[in-house]
């Protein structure tokens, strides 16, 4: 993992800062790096407009004084508002280097760009009503708002909002990404994001942004089985499995079969529909991966089909109805390291209740569920997170919100089984599926349907070659 890909909690960020200090870098030097790096971006977006910097008492405020002085020295008209005096040595030193005046209230202050340096990763409680009002009024009187590290009022580790937090145009993460840059509801407030590097080293067992995948064309001597045979197991409602299967055909696997007792007159010619008895179909030793859940149903017959799939010993994606049926009994004797679960919020809650996970917050729940069960968990949604039993956790760049549409989850599950069939491990398969899915959504454009997504998978795939 490159240092720029790691996602650090507030405590990990403090430890990383201390490690740098132990190597001889002073806090003041770090603050200069952070503030000057942030000022570069602000200088660009300000494009000559006046800038107001709101400074708090901690080192986030300290960054603000550095930003203010850097921009002033470059000829920008800068005003500083500081409702509280600096409380750390580094912030006091930064304030002493600021050559302009400091206002204590925001009265009659208007400008082009507001830079929020009130609180960063040191926020421990909701903003006082006075601070919240000051921030809201300043934001209303500026055309463009920038949050330094995090919008003031956002909880660094879980992405919760400690009070009213307005929407920013840009958030500049300092030193490393934080979980709040990827998790709802904070994700809905931070606007565009950029990372300002300050030389933070790799932190052991840190979460990461799942790296952009890089696919290869099939080997010259490849044939359909060496590329992977993926099976999509249908159930009561055939449409969802069919959608997943058509997506799986475009996700890298060489051969996709739909195991379904229904007739599928609209199936593409290249999709083999196998209506034989499920246990005999599953007896084929060539299966590379299976998907079960979309349209499966939740009755006893569905449970039997799920049991048969789990008993096949093949790498498997479990989605939708399979996630409502899954329990300890079904997992008895099954190697969980082969399984990838793709729950949405409701399914994640159901699984946590079933397996005794009491953690709070999406990341922590996914992590705990994976740790307790040994399964790989892809908790999908506007803030998708991926967690493996060995503790790996990954976040993803924000995907288009147009994905909030029926059937897009089936497409994701189809992509995941396809990646799994190519030989990828569950964690890698899940992460690559999320990237493909988001790229296809970008190509499909606004107001997309799940069928549009499938149509765009080929061009999306090409972006990763
Ligand atoms: N950790 C690092 O490596 C670096 C951190 N930097 C900056 O330092 C920030 C973290 O600095 P701090 O830990 O000083 O934290 P903050 O600047 O977020 O502020 C913490 C201070 O505010 C108080 N406080 C917390 N919540 C409050 C509330 N609701 N109302 C009033 N006071 C409140 C705390 O008691 C503490 O005094 C980062 O967000 C980043 O901007 C950068 O300067 C560069 C390097
Ligand atoms: K801030």
């Amino acid at each position: 993992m490159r240092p720029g890909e790691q996602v650090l909690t507030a405590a990990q960020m403090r430890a990383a800062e201390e490690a740098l200090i132990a190597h001889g870098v002073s806090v003041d030097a770090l603050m200069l790096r952070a503030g000057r790096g942030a000022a570069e971006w602000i200088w660009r977006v300000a494009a000559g407009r006046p800038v107001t910097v709101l400074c708090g008492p901690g080192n986030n405020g300290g960054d603000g004084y550095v930003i203010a002085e850097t921009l002033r020295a470059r000829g920008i008209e800068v005003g500083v508002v500081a409702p509280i005096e600096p409380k750390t040595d580094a912030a006091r030193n930064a304030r002493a280097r600021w050559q302009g005046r400091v206002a204590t209230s925001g009265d009659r202050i208007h400008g082009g760009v507001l830079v929020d340096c009130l609180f960063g990763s040191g926020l421990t409680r909701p903003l006082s009503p006075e601070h919240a009002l000051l921030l809201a009024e300043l934001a209303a009187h500026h055309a463009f708002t920038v949050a330094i590290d995090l919008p003031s009022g956002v909880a660094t580790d879980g992405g919760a909002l400690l009070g009213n937090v307005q929407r920013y145009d840009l958030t500049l993460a300092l030193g490393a990404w934080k979980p709040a840059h990827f998790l709802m509801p904070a994700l809905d407030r931070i606007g565009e994001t950029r990372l300002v590097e300050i030389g933070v080293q790799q932190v052991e067992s840190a979460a990461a942004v799942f790296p952009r995948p890089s696919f290869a064309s099939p080997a010259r001597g490849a044939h359909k089985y060496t590329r992977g045979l993926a099976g999509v197991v249908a159930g009561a409602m055939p449409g969802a499995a069919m959608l997943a299967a058509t997506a799986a055909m475009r996700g890298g696997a060489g051969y996709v079969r739909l195991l379904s007792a229904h007739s599928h007159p609209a199936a593409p010619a290249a999709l083999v529909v196998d209506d034989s008895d499920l246990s005999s179909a599953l007896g084929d030793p060539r299966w590379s991966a299976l998907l079960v859940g979309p349209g499966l149903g939740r009755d006893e017959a569905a449970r039997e089909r799920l049991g048969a799939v789990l008993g096949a010993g093949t790498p498997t994606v479990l989605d939708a109805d399979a996630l409502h049926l899954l329990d300890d009994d079904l997992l008895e004797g099954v190697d969980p390291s082969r399984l990838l679960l793709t729950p949405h919020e409701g399914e994640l809650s159901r699984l946590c209740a079933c397996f005794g996970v009491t953690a709070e917050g999406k990341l922590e729940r996914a992590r705990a569920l994976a740790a307790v069960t040994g399964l790989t968990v892809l908790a999908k949604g506007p803030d998708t997170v991926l967690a493996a039993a060995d503790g790996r956790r990954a976040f993803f760049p924000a995907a288009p919100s147009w994905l909030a549409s029926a059937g897009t989850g089936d497409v994701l599950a189809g992509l995941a089984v396809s990646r799994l069939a190519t030989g990828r491990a569950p964690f890698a398969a899940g992460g690559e599926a999320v990237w493909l899915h988001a790229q296809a959504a970008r190509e499909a454009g606004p107001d997309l349907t799940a069928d549009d997504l499938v149509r765009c998978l080929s061009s999306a795939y090409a972006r990763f070659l």
Side-chain angles (χ1 to χ4, degrees), residues 143-172:
F144 193 92
T145 50
V146 183
I148 297 304
D149 211 12
L150 295 154
S152 299
V154 155
T156 310
D157 296 350
L161 306 183
L162 309 182
N164 269 339
V165 176
Q166 44 114 21
R167 280 204 176 83
Y168 287 74
D169 295 298
L170 172 67
T171 293
L172 300 172

Side-chain angles (χ1 to χ4, degrees), residues 60 116-117 119 148 150 152:
N60 197 251
D116 164 17
C117 299
F119 300 106
I148 297 304
L150 295 154
S152 299

Side-chain angles (χ1 to χ4, degrees), residues 225 228-233 255-259 272 274 278-291 312-315 338 421:
Y225 287 112
L229 169 61
V232 177
V233 178
Y255 187 178
V256 178
R257 280 193 217 154
L258 180 60
L259 305 182
V272 174
D274 181 345
L278 182 63
S279 9
S280 58
L282 291 174
D284 188 330
R286 292 170 298 188
W287 289 116
S288 313
L290 298 166
L291 162 65
T314 306
R338 294 167 184 250

Side-chain angles (χ1 to χ4, degrees), residues 217-233:
S217 303
R220 185 75 56 203
H223 58 72
K224 60 181 186 277
Y225 287 112
T226 59
R227 291 185 61 199
L229 169 61
V232 177
V233 178

Side-chain angles (χ1 to χ4, degrees), residues 278-346:
L278 182 63
S279 9
S280 58
L282 291 174
D284 188 330
R286 292 170 298 188
W287 289 116
S288 313
L290 298 166
L291 162 65
V292 61
L296 180 66
R298 299 184 189 175
D299 59 7
E300 203 42 46
R303 193 178 165 85
E304 269 175 34
R305 283 174 86 74
L306 175 56
V309 173
L310 290 170
T314 306
T316 298
V317 178
L318 303 184
D319 185 43
D321 288 338
L323 303 175
H324 283 267
L325 293 168
L326 193 67
D327 56 21
D328 277 324
D329 289 346
L330 279 165
L331 284 177
E332 179 82 38
V334 174
D335 174 3
S337 70
R338 294 167 184 250
L339 304 182
L340 171 65
L341 272 55
T342 53
H344 59 45
E345 187 54 39

Side-chain angles (χ1 to χ4, degrees), residues 315 337-338 340 376 392 416 419-420 422-432:
S337 70
R338 294 167 184 250
L340 171 65
T376 302
R392 278 174 297 160
R419 298 312 301 156
L420 207 52
T422 67
R424 310 295 280 145
F427 191 84
E432 290 173 357

Side-chain angles (χ1 to χ4, degrees), residues 38-39 41-43 45-46 49 51-54 60 67 112-118 135 139 142-152 166-173 189-190 192 194:
W41 287 108
I42 298 163
W43 186 74
V45 296
R49 289 179 290 179
V51 172
T52 303
V53 185
L54 174 62
N60 197 251
I67 291 166
V113 178
L114 174 69
V115 182
D116 164 17
C117 299
L118 196 51
L135 186 51
H142 289 74
F144 193 92
T145 50
V146 183
I148 297 304
D149 211 12
L150 295 154
S152 299
Q166 44 114 21
R167 280 204 176 83
Y168 287 74
D169 295 298
L170 172 67
T171 293
L172 300 172
R189 301 294 195 274
I190 59 178
E192 288 283 317
R194 294 290 183 275

